[in-house]
Amino acid sequence: MAAIVRLLLARAAVSGSSARLARAAMSPTARRSVAHFTFVPEPEPDPAQYGPTQKMNLFQSITSGLDNVLANDPTAGKERVFNTPLCEQGIVGFGIGIAVTGATAIAEIQFADYIFPAFDQIVNEAAKYRYRSGNLFDCGSLTIRAPWGCVGHGSLYHSQCPEAFFSHIPGVKVVIPRSPIQAKGLLLSCIQDKNPCIFFEPKILYRAAVEQVPVEAYQIPLSQAEILEEGNDVTLVAWGTQVHVMREVASMAQEKLGVSCEVIDLKTILPWDSETVCKEECFLHLEAPISRVCGYDTPFPHIFEPFYIPDKWKCFDAVRIMINY
C-alpha cells in the first residue's frame, strides 16, 4: 500500500529584488528576473531503453513519478492522497507510522523551510528506527519531499537550503536533482529504496526546467555522482540548481582564464559518492586549498537575495583565486 501525505500552504507574496532596485520594486507594476543561471535540457532519453517521452517541466515530472507509483500499486486509490493539518511533526510522524507497517509513505512538506518542526521525528525516529530495533522493524519505505532553494523573492522562510542539517544524520538519505529527467528517476529510486529518504526539489526549476521525460517508471541510482564535463585543472562540485551555475562557470573559466574545469553533479548528498569526486586521490595532490562558495552567515535576506546567493561571478572569482594560489 502506498500513501502520500501532503501539506499545502499558501505561498506568501513578497516584493523587492536588490539594493539598486529596491525602490523600483515597491511599485505594483515592478517585475524582476529571478533566474541567476541558464537551464540547458539534457539529451533526450533513448526511447528503446526508456519508452516514449513527453515534454515536462520539473513539477510535472515529479507528478508523473507519483502517478507511476500509485498506478503500479494494486491498492491504488485517490483516498490515499490527502491533505493534513498544518503540523510538520505530525506529517512525518504519520508517514513513519505508515512506513513501519510496510507501506510506501510519501510525506510532503511545503516548503523545505518548514521541515524543522519535524526535525526530531526525522533525526530521532526515522533515522534510528532500524538500528534501535536490531533490524526487527524499520521505516525504510518513507520518502519526505519538500520544495527547496531560492526563487528570487522568497526571503527568510521560502528560500533556505537545509540539506546541511540532514547530511550529518546516519540512517537517512538526502537527494537533490538538477532537472526533470533526474527528478523523476531519483524520486522513484528514493521511493523504492529501503532507507528513509529526504528528497529536496529545486522550486526555481519547477517551471523553468523543461525537457523530454520518459512517461513510464524508471530509476536513477542513488549515491552515484555524475561527471557532466571533463576537465584537467579544477573540479567543481555542486547539486540541484547550482549545477547549472557551475556549468556556466566552467564555460567562463575556459573562455576568460584558459582553465579546464571538471563539473560534477553530486545528486545524493548523503551518502555522497566520494569515489567519483576523489578518484584521483585528490587530497594527496591538491595544488590549492578547497574553496567553498555559499551564502553568507546571515538569515536569508529579501531585497538583497541577488547579493546573497553564490552566483556564477562569486564562483568564477573562487576559481580565479584558486588557480593563482
Side-chain angles (χ1 to χ4, degrees), residues 140-142 173 188-197 219 222:
S141 54
L142 169 65
K173 294 187 176 182
L188 290 175
S189 292
C190 286
I191 294 172
Q192 294 298 319
D193 195 90
K194 295 307 177 184
N195 298 278
C197 295
Q219 295 184 35
L222 303 181

Side-chain angles (χ1 to χ4, degrees), residues 57-130:
N57 57 29
L58 193 135
F59 85 77
Q60 289 170 329
S61 73
I62 290 170
T63 301
S64 175
L66 296 174
D67 287 343
N68 293 148
V69 172
L70 295 176
N72 293 327
D73 191 300
T75 60
K78 64 180 182 180
E79 68 279 359
R80 288 167 33 213
V81 182
F82 55 92
N83 294 333
T84 70
L86 302 184
C87 177
E88 291 80 10
Q89 185 176 16
I91 291 170
V92 174
F94 189 87
I96 291 171
I98 296 174
V100 170
T101 69
T104 299
I106 306 170
E108 181 179 335
I109 304 294
Q110 291 254 357
F111 295 74
D113 311 64
Y114 298 114
I115 202 170
F116 300 113
F119 195 81
D120 178 68
Q121 288 291 319
I122 296 171
V123 173
N124 274 331
E125 304 299 335
K128 296 179 171 67
Y129 216 103
R130 178 183 283 114

